[in-house]
Amino acid sequence: MTTVSGEKVFRYRLDIYWRALALYLLALLGYALVRGGVSNGYITMVLTDPIVLLLLLFVVWTGAVLLWAWSRSPSIVVGADYLRVRSRFGERLLRLEDIEQVRLPRRQRGWTRLVRIRLKSKRRVMVVRPAAYERPQELLQELVRLSRLVRAA
């Protein structure tokens, strides 16, 4: 999504959490129904089975992570000469002068592709996973453009 001022907004993708939650719920219901069965017109489910409890733990954990990620609503905004990392609770503006180095992935593919941004004022490296955001190829192209601007400066 491009705003009026020419900024490109990349929102965090939540679809992987939805898919995992649906998969765990289907596995839980399927296993619980197979294990319990139908008798006298009633569906019985065994909740004391360790596998059912483990699947229930997965469902609760994935649901909690989904709610946490949804409540944060992180996004990255890329402008002409800055990068803005935003969440519901705060925002961090990284100007071109604040960035020391942008390390781009070479041989990594898919979800493991990581971009490391070293800041002049911080000791720690900021890590961005483009595949976790909407339009990952476009985000990676914008980060490549910012990398070239940092090297030229």
Side-chain angles (χ1 to χ4, degrees), residues 67-111:
L67 287 174
W68 175 73
W70 176 75
S71 70
R72 279 187 41 227
S73 66
S75 64
I76 293 179
V77 180
V78 180
D81 61 344
Y82 61 89
L83 182 73
R84 183 178 298 145
V85 181
R86 201 189 295 180
S87 76
R88 181 169 289 169
F89 306 113
E91 179 176 301
R92 184 170 186 181
L93 182 66
L94 305 173
R95 297 205 175 276
L96 206 57
E97 304 86 41
D98 300 336
I99 300 174
E100 181 179 327
Q101 181 185 26
V102 179
R103 296 179 100 195
L104 300 166
R106 290 190 183 256
R107 294 185 185 99
Q108 297 171 340
R109 296 280 180 239
W111 190 255

Side-chain angles (χ1 to χ4, degrees), residues 9-72:
V9 180
F10 301 93
R11 288 188 173 73
Y12 194 75
R13 290 174 38 193
L14 298 175
D15 60 337
I16 191 165
Y17 299 118
W18 286 110
R19 290 177 186 172
L21 185 62
L23 182 71
Y24 291 144
L25 274 173
L26 284 175
L28 174 67
L29 291 176
Y31 183 79
L33 287 176
V34 167
R35 190 80 170 122
V38 178
S39 63
N40 298 334
Y42 292 104
I43 298 173
T44 59
M45 296 175 83
V46 178
L47 293 178
T48 57
D49 188 1
I51 295 177
V52 170
L53 292 175
L54 183 65
L55 286 172
L56 188 62
L57 178 69
F58 285 168
V59 166
V60 169
W61 182 261
T62 305
V65 170
L66 174 66
L67 287 174
W68 175 73
W70 176 75
S71 70
R72 279 187 41 227

